Amino acid sequence: RRKLVGDLARELPLAGAGRELGVVLCDLDGFKLYNDAFGHPAGDALLARLGQRLHDAIGSSGSVYRLGGDEFCVVAPLGAGGIASLTATTMTALSERGDGFDVGSSCGGVVASGDVTTVEEVLRAADQRLYASKASGRRSAGRQAADALLQALHERQPELHDHLHGVGDLVAAVGERLGLSAEELDLLRQAGELHDVGKVAIPDSILSKPGALDEQEWEFVRQHPLVGERIISAAPALAQVGKLVRASHERYDGSGYPDGRAAEEIPLGARIIAVCDAYDAMIGPRPYRLGMSEEVAIDELRRCAGEQFDPAVVDVFCELHAQATADPQRSASL
């Protein structure tokens, strides 16, 4: 790392429009699993092979650094392919597959300019892009796990599967209007789609009962957010989704379940899910009743604002619904 900082300090003043300098920061994906499976001596040998492969790929035009553990960095002048080409070359070199393992890399690349950027800023920017790359990979893994759970729900209860997809669309629209980031929206949509996954543990005789539930049956129902969190959190990439699912049946006045949380104690994403879930459930048919009209469902949301639902979320939902009613093509999900 000291060598990298020193080299960058000398190279940055020379960088400019006529000589663009690329900096690519990387760490390995799957290396811990490799170490666990084959032992640390094998892991050390793998690091040596990958480091040599990266050195050969970059050649004499640039420099390669190992910063510690499974972190590497490349500094090199950019060619016609720019930073994308340098990043792709780096990722290809830092990969190896074999029987029972698949080691790759996540990378963050930046174009450094001595006129506007210090060494610290260059490394910080590369580190932020590396983190974003790894986060994107985690979201991809989470999306695959979520899709598997949704397919399991579809096989068991197709109507519940359709309801969950509907809630996912609604929460994404409301979350976007409330200014959530792209990453937060991704988590929110998955939580909306999976908020009732714990119902796989509820007997069909209760889920499909045509009449009112007794207290013992309700106790089964009240456990499903906890069951859902346990199921979802078995996939590490969905840990944050599991927390939203656990809180998705809390009420704004604190009378919900399973934890009795109230108002701002309930995560915003869970408060959004509660409103969207209730609306989609009200307009959809159930074993014990036909669905309400959209107008009646909206009135019910407004009536329960401040008690069951966050009033601010209800206001945004109703605003979006009014816009969609006036212009159906503007927001088909509402």
Side-chain angles (χ1 to χ4, degrees), residues 60-176:
S60 59
S61 63
S63 300
V64 175
Y65 309 82
R66 181 178 172 222
L67 305 184
D70 59 353
E71 299 177 38
F72 294 85
C73 185
V74 170
V75 177
L78 297 179
I83 191 66
S85 176
L86 181 61
T87 302
T89 297
T90 302
M91 293 181 69
T92 299
L94 292 178
S95 64
E96 185 170 314
R97 292 182 179 182
D99 187 14
F101 74 93
D102 184 355
V103 174
S105 62
S106 296
C107 297
V110 296
V111 179
S113 170
D115 295 332
V116 297
T117 310
T118 66
V119 172
E120 292 76 15
E121 289 171 336
V122 168
L123 294 178
R124 186 182 306 116
D127 188 61
Q128 289 172 344
R129 295 188 183 182
L130 167 60
Y131 179 82
S133 174
K134 293 191 76 68
S136 176
R138 287 194 295 270
R139 285 196 295 273
S140 176
R143 183 67 265 172
Q144 292 179 43
D147 288 344
L149 289 172
L150 286 169
Q151 185 60 33
L153 283 171
H154 177 72
E155 296 296 332
R156 183 182 181 214
Q157 196 175 10
E159 66 274 13
L160 180 59
H161 171 273
D162 295 339
H163 164 64
L164 295 178
H165 269 301
V167 174
D169 290 338
L170 293 173
V171 299
V174 175
E176 184 175 8

Side-chain angles (χ1 to χ4, degrees), residues 11 22 52 60 76 81 90 102 143 158 164 184 192 209 243 258 263 275 297 325:
E11 291 288 336
Q52 186 62 50
S60 59
T90 302
D102 184 355
R143 183 67 265 172
L164 295 178
E184 290 170 329
K209 186 176 179 179
K243 293 179 180 179
V275 172
T325 301

Side-chain angles (χ1 to χ4, degrees), residues 46-320:
L46 175 65
L47 288 173
R49 288 197 303 275
L50 294 179
Q52 186 62 50
R53 193 174 302 153
L54 181 60
H55 182 272
D56 293 343
I58 298 303
S60 59
S61 63
S63 300
V64 175
Y65 309 82
R66 181 178 172 222
L67 305 184
D70 59 353
E71 299 177 38
F72 294 85
C73 185
V74 170
V75 177
L78 297 179
I83 191 66
S85 176
L86 181 61
T87 302
T89 297
T90 302
M91 293 181 69
T92 299
L94 292 178
S95 64
E96 185 170 314
R97 292 182 179 182
D99 187 14
F101 74 93
D102 184 355
V103 174
S105 62
S106 296
C107 297
V110 296
V111 179
S113 170
D115 295 332
V116 297
T117 310
T118 66
V119 172
E120 292 76 15
E121 289 171 336
V122 168
L123 294 178
R124 186 182 306 116
D127 188 61
Q128 289 172 344
R129 295 188 183 182
L130 167 60
Y131 179 82
S133 174
K134 293 191 76 68
S136 176
R138 287 194 295 270
R139 285 196 295 273
S140 176
R143 183 67 265 172
Q144 292 179 43
D147 288 344
L149 289 172
L150 286 169
Q151 185 60 33
L153 283 171
H154 177 72
E155 296 296 332
R156 183 182 181 214
Q157 196 175 10
E159 66 274 13
L160 180 59
H161 171 273
D162 295 339
H163 164 64
L164 295 178
H165 269 301
V167 174
D169 290 338
L170 293 173
V171 299
V174 175
E176 184 175 8
R177 178 59 63 92
L178 285 169
L180 271 63
S181 68
E183 184 173 358
E184 290 170 329
L185 287 173
D186 186 52
L187 293 173
L188 178 59
R189 177 183 284 276
Q190 291 183 55
E193 293 173 343
L194 294 173
H195 74 279
D196 274 345
V197 71
K199 287 185 176 179
V200 297
I202 299 176
D204 288 337
S205 60
I206 296 177
L207 284 178
S208 303
K209 186 176 179 179
L213 303 182
D214 61 32
E215 184 55 35
Q216 186 176 12
E217 291 167 335
W218 265 114
E219 189 56 35
F220 266 105
V221 172
R222 294 188 188 103
Q223 293 301 307
H224 86 265
L226 296 174
V227 176
E229 182 188 31
R230 289 199 298 270
I231 292 172
I232 292 168
S233 297
L238 294 178
Q240 295 302 313
V241 174
K243 293 179 180 179
L244 292 179
V245 166
R246 180 186 181 112
S248 62
H249 288 272
E250 302 289 357
R251 293 171 59 110
Y252 197 71
D253 62 4
S255 64
Y257 58 88
D259 301 310
R261 300 165 77 178
E264 303 298 321
E265 296 174 346
I266 306 169
L268 175 59
R271 284 178 267 148
I272 294 172
I273 293 170
V275 172
C276 298
D277 176 35
Y279 175 81
D280 194 79
M282 285 189 285
I283 65 173
R286 290 293 179 267
Y288 48 88
R289 62 157 172 81
L290 296 175
M292 299 178 182
S293 69
E294 293 185 4
E295 292 75 14
V296 172
I298 290 292
D299 288 343
E300 186 67 10
L301 290 180
R302 291 192 183 280
R303 186 183 71 81
C304 296
E307 295 180 0
Q308 184 173 354
F309 307 119
D310 182 340
V313 175
V314 170
D315 286 344
V316 169
F317 185 94
C318 293
E319 178 186 339
L320 286 171

